[in-house]
Structure formats: structure tokens, C-alpha cells
Amino acid sequence: LDPLVEGFRNRPLEGHYPFLVVDAIYMKAREEERVKSRGLLIATGVNEDGNREVLGFTIADGESEEAWTDFFTGLKNRGVREVDLIVSDNHGGLKRAIRKQFHGTGWQRCQTHFSRNLLDKTPKKLQAEVHIGLNDVYNAPDLKQARIRKQQLQETYQAQAPKAMALLDESFDDITAVYALPEAYRKRLRTTN
């Protein structure tokens, strides 16, 4: 299968993909008679017709800025251009590579990953309630309503979950970048999952 996989990984990308969803999956791989954890970096493009397509993938030791930069350089060399929005998690190396390789492109922080991060900072007894409130923010009909719902959530839980509410405040613009898009696009571009 190696020739087929290499052909797929190196094929020219001739269409326009205004949206990219990028993530890494970690798995065990046997190398030199040892089992190691390796990252599979994946980019899915959404074309102008709204169809998703796996644009590329590569194996890396982790999610360093260098690994993501090399991966993005390969995608650009194969034809990826004029990206309007990239959806990813908040990994530092990934974010730096996005800023470097796709300067001026919008960034949507994955809401699923963010929810996990926020709930980790929430007292266990409040996690279910805060999760419902956070989903209410995500499902607001527009950015103005999302901001109002965020403020209500903060007012309700500020005293009991100050670290979580601080994270919500500092990350709000990143988790609501999809509101700049038409409503039909939002649900599928707010998370990498």
C-alpha cells in the first residue's frame, strides 16, 4: 500500500479550501523493535461546496512548531492557498505554526477541546451545570447573544469557579470566531471533532 499512500499524500491540491480543520491523533507505533507514541498530524479541508476532504497527514514525534510548520509548508507547496479560517486546538506549537504559515487567517479554537480545558478548572460538583451553560454560549444565534450568555455564565459561577470563568473570558474571542461566518457553516467549523 505504500505507493498508494504516498501518491495520496503528495497529490496536487487544485481546489480552493477556504476552511482547514487540523488536529493530531496519538497512537502507538512499532519502530526498531520498540513501541513509541507517535503523532499523526491531519489536515481536513472544506471546499467551496462545503465538502470535506482529507488533504494530508504525516507522522511526527509530537506537535512541535517545527513539525506543524513542515506539514503546513507541504500543504501549501501542493496548492493550499487563501485559507479564511483554521480550526484547531490550543496547542502552542500548532498555534505558532498557523500564525507563521497562514498569516492573516482567522482562527477558531476547537470548542470541544476548550470545554475540556474549562471543565478541568471547574469544581467537580459544578461541572455538569457549567457544561450546560457553556453549550448555551456555543449555541447562541449570534455573537451578541453569545456575549450576553457568557456574561450570565460568569456572573453565576465567578465566585465558585474563578479560574474557569477567567479562562472563558480570556478565550471568548477564540471560541466564537465562527460567528463571523454564515450560520450554515458554524456548527461544522466550531470543533475539530
Side-chain angles (χ1 to χ4, degrees):
L1 292 176
D2 287 349
L4 294 174
V5 171
E6 284 307 304
F8 178 81
R9 288 183 60 224
N10 295 308
R11 74 196 187 286
L13 300 170
E14 297 170 353
H16 178 224
Y17 302 94
F19 310 115
L20 290 182
V21 179
V22 296
D23 204 358
I25 299 170
Y26 284 88
M27 62 188 74
K28 302 284 185 186
R30 185 172 302 279
E31 291 181 1
E32 300 171 8
E33 299 183 26
R34 292 183 1 197
V35 175
K36 298 179 181 178
S37 178
R38 299 297 304 266
L40 179 68
L41 311 183
I42 303 171
T44 303
V46 181
N47 67 21
E48 292 174 320
D49 297 325
N51 297 318
R52 289 177 181 249
E53 178 182 340
V54 174
L55 301 182
F57 56 88
T58 192
I59 302 291
D61 287 332
E63 292 188 75
S64 68
E65 179 180 349
E66 181 181 356
W68 280 110
T69 297
D70 290 346
F71 181 58
F72 291 149
T73 298
L75 291 176
K76 290 169 73 174
N77 288 341
R78 291 173 43 223
V80 171
R81 67 194 188 295
E82 298 176 21
V83 177
D84 296 325
L85 182 77
I86 297 177
V87 183
S88 77
D89 65 15
N90 193 42
H91 190 280
L94 172 54
K95 282 177 45 182
R96 287 188 297 277
I98 289 170
R99 280 194 302 266
K100 190 182 292 182
Q101 292 291 309
F102 296 100
H103 182 72
T105 297
W107 178 64
Q108 168 67 39
R109 182 173 178 176
C110 172
Q111 291 178 353
T112 301
H113 285 90
F114 177 76
S115 294
R116 289 183 201 135
N117 298 149
L118 184 113
L119 293 175
D120 284 345
K121 295 182 179 299
T122 303
K124 199 159 201 65
K125 66 180 181 178
L126 298 174
Q127 287 181 352
E129 295 172 38
V130 170
H131 192 248
I132 290 168
L134 190 56
N135 282 333
D136 192 43
V137 172
Y138 295 154
N139 292 315
D142 56 44
L143 185 58
K144 182 179 178 183
Q145 276 299 311
R147 194 172 304 282
I148 290 169
R149 293 175 185 191
K150 176 202 67 136
Q151 289 171 338
Q152 291 169 341
L153 186 63
Q154 286 180 301
E155 288 169 8
T156 303
Y157 295 103
Q158 182 61 44
Q160 298 164 297
K163 290 180 181 176
M165 295 304 105
L167 178 63
L168 177 60
D169 194 51
E170 76 182 43
S171 304
F172 181 76
D173 291 336
D174 297 335
I175 62 171
T176 58
V178 290
Y179 281 103
L181 301 175
E183 189 173 355
Y185 295 94
R186 293 179 197 158
K187 189 160 188 141
R188 296 192 69 205
L189 290 172
R190 64 186 189 177
T191 180
T192 61
N193 293 20

